[in-house]
Amino acid sequence: MQTELWILFKKAVSFRTKGLTVFPSHRLPIQQHLAVYQQGNGRRCCWTNFLFVSFQKLEAKALIKLNFAKNNDGKYHCPVLYTIFTNNSHIVANKVTGNVFSYEAVEQLNIKTKTYKDLLTDEPFTRQDIITLQDPTNLDKFNVSDFFHVKNNMKVPDPDEEKAKLDPAYHLKTTNLETRETLAELYKDYKGDSLLASTMKEPEKKKTDKFNAAHYSTGRVSASFTSTAMTPQTTHEADKIADDVVRYQYVKKKGYIRLHTNKGDLNLELHCDKVPKAGENFIKLCKKGYYDGTIFHRSIRNFMIQGGDPTGLGTGGESFWGKPFKDEFRPNLSHTGRGVLSMANSGPNTNKSQFFITFRSCTYLDRKHTVFGRIVGGFETLTAMENVESDPKTDKPKSEIKLLSATVFVDPYEEADAQIAEEREKEIRKQQEEAEASAVKIKAKDDEKPKVFRPGVGKYINMTATKRPAAEEDDRPSTSSAAKRLKGKSGFGDFSSW
């Protein structure tokens, strides 16, 4: 009988639902396996599936600690064949010792020779003690229909989704024209019905102006032309550019902040004109008082000092927007020199509130951490902070280094917002003046009615202005023929005298 296995993940968060413990379905790297334990009546562990475990009491002795071997590059590999473990490697473990090997090594040195002794410690074991951690040839794990939670229709309730389902329009994501007309007729007949009213919501159109209008359209015309679920659109509308993109175009200055610590003050210059997102996050958090009373939880001499975590553990902190924001790498911003201010993160595009200040050049951190400022005053305070001894195991300063408060001297984002608001007001006034001028022209044109000279057909024609009086024709001497003759003799003539 093949041994049923369970893998506990280091970053998995379990919760109870219907008597089961459910783990997230994302596939984690090999190095994040923590332990395995045997469960006779459990389900098969699958990389791409939820882990469902019968919620029963687990004894500590049922857990097996796995021992992974690393090479000089810090990569996990087989300690016998020295092959690096990847997502396509066949990996097994010894239940007795917990040592992890590639299946090729166990197959060649243990199974085929029938010598069941650990390849590192020489401890005896049985074939049933071989635990399969990863088998790329096992295609059953990719068959979604065989998954336990799919067969038993087990779903994890999402609070946001359950709340959204209360809205009657939840199931009407896209409706065609006929459906909208039908709902409109029903709404007329049953006017005041809140259930029908919720389905009559038109999609909100993005308001654009001269500043946030993109050079491309929303694509609704082409989408409605090819889709029967959309209301036909015949006019192209410019798409809306994100507000931050528009605002950051007006940020042309540096930001200046003073951090007040129990060791002294630090004057910071922020590169808001080059890395606007990180700069705005830091300034907004300082103004909010987010950093007030926090400690620098990590300090390594000749390297850096790190802070910005309200919990003081190095695992907390949130950005001003409540979610991580992307990295901003610039070729002219580097971790060169002492006093460089940079964002701490847990991987690409995971910037939150934590930051660090370098004690020396760390150019190997370039394009890994966002440099968004530097110290321009208070280097003696930075030296005093560096001189505080730290715990060699946790790198936490033995005596507390606290950030008391922060003072913002220059906030270029407020100036940018004020400039945008002023230009928008000017644009609105200009459009109003043009609209008024055009309305006056139209009104003046309408007021200019043609003058009536006589009744009937041709009443708008002034006959006295177009017809010359007969008396003038008779009284004027006839000199036209003489003039013609004089004019004719001025040249070679018309041969009339021949």
Side-chain angles (χ1 to χ4, degrees):
M1 176 182 176
Q2 190 172 2
T3 305
E4 299 289 334
L5 304 174
W6 291 102
I7 300 178
L8 299 180
F9 295 103
K10 193 173 183 180
K11 291 187 178 179
V13 179
S14 63
F15 53 92
R16 301 184 185 182
T17 171
K18 296 182 181 180
L20 298 173
T21 300
V22 186
F23 289 89
S25 62
H26 57 277
R27 181 172 180 171
L28 297 177
I30 302 166
Q31 59 266 29
Q32 292 186 7
H33 292 189
L34 181 62
V36 300
Y37 67 92
Q38 185 175 358
Q39 180 109 350
N41 59 348
R43 312 297 178 195
R44 178 172 299 280
C45 168
C46 182
W47 288 87
T48 56
N49 191 12
F50 283 95
L51 300 180
F52 288 89
V53 183
S54 299
F55 196 78
Q56 299 176 359
K57 186 177 180 179
L58 175 67
E59 297 180 359
K61 62 181 181 180
L63 291 172
I64 302 170
K65 184 180 179 181
L66 299 182
N67 303 315
F68 284 85
K70 284 185 179 181
N71 58 13
N72 295 331
D73 296 332
K75 296 182 179 180
Y76 293 94
H77 71 109
C78 175
V80 177
L81 300 181
Y82 297 101
T83 55
I84 297 175
F85 291 151
T86 64
N87 292 334
N88 299 317
S89 302
H90 193 168
I91 307 171
V92 296
N94 190 335
K95 179 182 174 182
V96 177
T97 63
N99 294 327
V100 179
F101 308 96
S102 64
Y103 179 75
E104 290 78 10
V106 175
E107 183 184 26
Q108 295 294 330
L109 301 176
N110 292 124
I111 297 176
K112 288 188 176 181
T113 60
K114 297 182 179 180
T115 306
Y116 292 100
K117 291 185 177 182
D118 191 88
L119 300 177
L120 294 180
T121 62
D122 229 20
E123 293 184 40
F125 66 94
T126 62
R127 183 161 184 174
Q128 284 73 24
D129 294 331
I130 299 175
I131 300 172
T132 301
L133 299 182
Q134 178 175 283
D135 185 5
T137 61
N138 182 17
L139 300 179
D140 293 339
K141 64 182 181 181
F142 297 109
N143 188 3
V144 181
S145 60
D146 290 339
F147 288 175
F148 180 77
H149 70 285
V150 175
K151 284 183 177 181
N152 294 273
N153 195 23
M154 293 182 176
K155 296 182 179 179
V156 180
D158 186 3
D160 296 334
E161 187 176 358
E162 294 295 329
K163 186 177 180 180
K165 284 182 178 179
L166 298 176
D167 186 2
Y170 172 78
H171 301 286
L172 295 174
K173 294 182 179 178
T174 54
T175 56
N176 56 17
L177 184 61
E178 294 180 0
T179 306
R180 289 180 181 275
E181 291 176 352
T182 304
L183 291 172
E185 291 179 3
L186 288 172
Y187 184 67
K188 288 179 182 178
D189 297 337
Y190 301 94
K191 195 170 184 180
D193 192 340
S194 59
L195 185 66
L196 279 173
S198 61
T199 62
M200 298 301 298
K201 295 177 182 177
E202 291 285 340
E204 295 183 1
K205 293 184 178 180
K206 300 177 180 179
K207 296 181 179 179
T208 57
D209 53 19
K210 176 183 176 182
F211 304 95
N212 61 1
H215 65 277
Y216 49 86
S217 70
T218 57
R220 290 183 179 273
V221 175
S222 58
S224 64
F225 179 74
T226 57
S227 174
T228 58
M230 292 186 64
T231 306
Q233 299 283 341
T234 56
T235 55
H236 286 281
E237 295 179 355
D239 200 1
K240 182 181 178 182
I241 302 175
D243 293 335
D244 287 344
V245 177
V246 178
R247 291 174 62 244
Y248 294 158
Q249 292 176 356
Y250 288 83
V251 178
K252 305 296 183 182
K253 295 182 179 180
K254 304 283 187 182
Y256 293 92
I257 293 178
R258 175 174 293 168
L259 300 182
H260 307 282
T261 71
N262 58 345
K263 300 294 182 182
D265 293 343
L266 294 173
N267 297 329
L268 305 178
E269 180 186 69
L270 306 184
H271 306 305
C272 300
D273 54 337
K274 298 176 182 177
V275 283
K277 194 76 173 180
E280 183 178 20
N281 177 68
F282 192 77
I283 288 178
K284 297 292 186 185
L285 291 179
C286 288
K287 282 190 168 184
K288 186 181 176 182
Y290 189 82
Y291 294 128
D292 294 356
T294 61
I295 63 170
F296 288 89
H297 59 272
R298 189 181 179 205
S299 178
I300 303 175
R301 188 169 294 179
N302 294 323
F303 179 34
M304 62 89 203
I305 186 168
Q306 184 173 337
D309 181 9
T311 64
L313 302 175
T315 58
E318 290 292 337
S319 69
F320 176 74
W321 302 278
K323 58 183 180 180
F325 58 91
K326 293 184 178 180
D327 297 322
E328 296 174 294
F329 300 135
R330 299 291 180 267
N332 54 346
L333 296 179
S334 175
H335 295 83
T336 303
R338 183 178 175 85
V340 175
L341 183 63
S342 184
M343 291 298 300
N345 58 42
S346 57
N349 303 320
T350 58
N351 301 290
K352 294 182 180 178
S353 65
Q354 294 191 38
F355 61 92
F356 65 90
I357 304 172
T358 61
F359 292 139
R360 57 186 293 273
S361 296
C362 309
T363 54
Y364 52 87
L365 297 179
D366 292 348
R367 300 199 64 80
K368 294 180 182 178
H369 296 269
T370 300
V371 177
F372 68 98
R374 64 189 181 99
I375 291 181
V376 293
F379 282 96
E380 63 280 357
T381 302
L382 187 64
T383 302
M385 296 166 69
E386 185 180 9
N387 292 334
V388 176
E389 293 186 6
S390 300
D391 187 349
K393 293 183 179 180
T394 62
D395 296 328
K396 187 175 182 179
K398 292 183 178 180
S399 62
E400 196 173 72
I401 305 175
K402 182 174 285 189
L403 200 164
L404 303 176
S405 62
T407 303
V408 179
F409 293 109
V410 178
D411 184 359
Y413 302 96
E414 285 188 353
E415 298 177 7
D417 293 338
Q419 184 179 356
I420 294 174
E422 184 181 354
E423 291 188 8
R424 276 183 170 156
E425 287 180 3
K426 288 182 179 178
E427 184 67 21
I428 291 172
R429 286 198 299 267
K430 183 180 178 182
Q431 291 178 358
Q432 290 177 351
E433 290 174 359
E434 291 178 354
E436 291 175 359
S438 60
V440 169
K441 287 182 180 178
I442 293 172
K443 187 177 180 181
K445 192 174 182 181
D446 293 339
D447 293 341
E448 291 178 0
K449 294 181 180 179
K451 185 178 180 181
V452 178
F453 294 95
R454 59 192 179 89
V457 179
K459 61 182 179 180
Y460 300 113
I461 301 175
N462 187 2
M463 300 299 295
T464 58
T466 56
K467 186 177 180 180
R468 189 168 53 193
E472 290 185 15
E473 294 181 1
D474 297 340
D475 296 342
R476 192 175 60 185
S478 177
T479 57
S480 60
S481 57
K484 287 182 179 179
R485 286 196 296 269
L486 292 173
K487 189 176 180 180
K489 291 181 179 179
S490 62
F492 289 102
D494 56 356
F495 305 104
S496 59
S497 58
W498 285 26

